[in-house]
Amino acid sequence: QNRLYGDPNLPLTGTITGIKNNDDITATYSTAATQASTVGQYDITAALSDPGNKLGNYSVTNTKAELTIAPAPLSVVVDPQARLYGDANPTLTGTVSGIKNNDNITASYSTVANLLSVVGQYSITAALNDPGSKLGNYTVTNTPSALTINKAHLAVIADPKSMTYGAA
């Protein structure tokens, strides 16, 4: 079986073949993997139930299977921002989605633009903070954005003057 990191296990199933005489032999299937288990492979094993004590009549082959836990998708999308030349940068923001198991993954956002940056566009990027080392359980899509610095408004107003005709 296969599932994504952070998802619950699917019902574990298997097949018993070769039962004779309607012997009441059943199997239950289990794995050590839980919803919080990391990416990887985990054994699925079968335990036989034999209330009629008939297993002694069989040569049993019990073949294990694998549960594969694949990385879950994690998306970081940076919000676009704008400001005027000479103004301070706005608070840089974005959205992180797809976090499973309450993993403590956050994003910080940055740009090279500063108070003195000229008119234009500057990339805003996201860096993921992962104090619990859980990022290996995800396939990350990181979408940057831009900070647009627009022209500041500048007004020039001449002061009115008066003079007497013929005077300097």
Side-chain angles (χ1 to χ4, degrees):
Q1 292 197 8
N2 300 294
R3 70 166 174 86
L4 295 177
Y5 168 75
D7 289 351
N9 289 338
L10 300 170
L12 303 175
T13 60
T15 304
I16 300 175
T17 59
I19 294 178
K20 306 282 186 183
N21 301 322
N22 290 319
D23 289 343
D24 187 21
I25 299 172
T26 59
T28 56
Y29 303 92
S30 64
T31 182
T34 66
Q35 190 167 345
S37 294
T38 59
V39 168
Q41 291 190 324
Y42 297 84
D43 288 342
I44 300 172
T45 57
L48 295 174
S49 173
D50 179 24
N53 294 316
K54 301 292 184 172
L55 275 178
N57 297 312
Y58 296 93
S59 174
V60 177
T61 301
N62 191 340
T63 306
K64 68 179 180 175
E66 297 290 328
L67 168 64
T68 300
I69 300 176
L74 181 74
S75 173
V76 183
V77 178
V78 179
D79 297 329
Q81 300 289 340
R83 69 168 174 88
L84 297 177
Y85 169 76
D87 288 351
N89 287 341
T91 300
L92 304 177
T93 58
T95 304
V96 178
S97 58
I99 293 175
K100 304 277 187 146
N101 297 325
N102 294 315
D103 291 343
N104 186 20
I105 297 172
T106 59
S108 56
Y109 306 94
S110 64
T111 182
V112 296
N114 60 42
L115 192 64
L116 302 176
S117 296
V118 297
V119 169
Q121 286 199 328
Y122 298 83
S123 182
I124 304 171
T125 58
L128 291 174
N129 309 309
D130 180 25
S133 299
K134 300 291 187 174
L135 274 178
N137 295 308
Y138 296 94
T139 301
V140 178
T141 302
N142 193 335
T143 307
S145 193
L147 168 65
T148 302
I149 299 178
N150 296 306
K151 293 180 180 183
H153 303 287
L154 180 65
V156 179
I157 302 172
D159 292 335
K161 299 291 179 186
S162 63
M163 63 177 249
T164 304
Y165 179 73

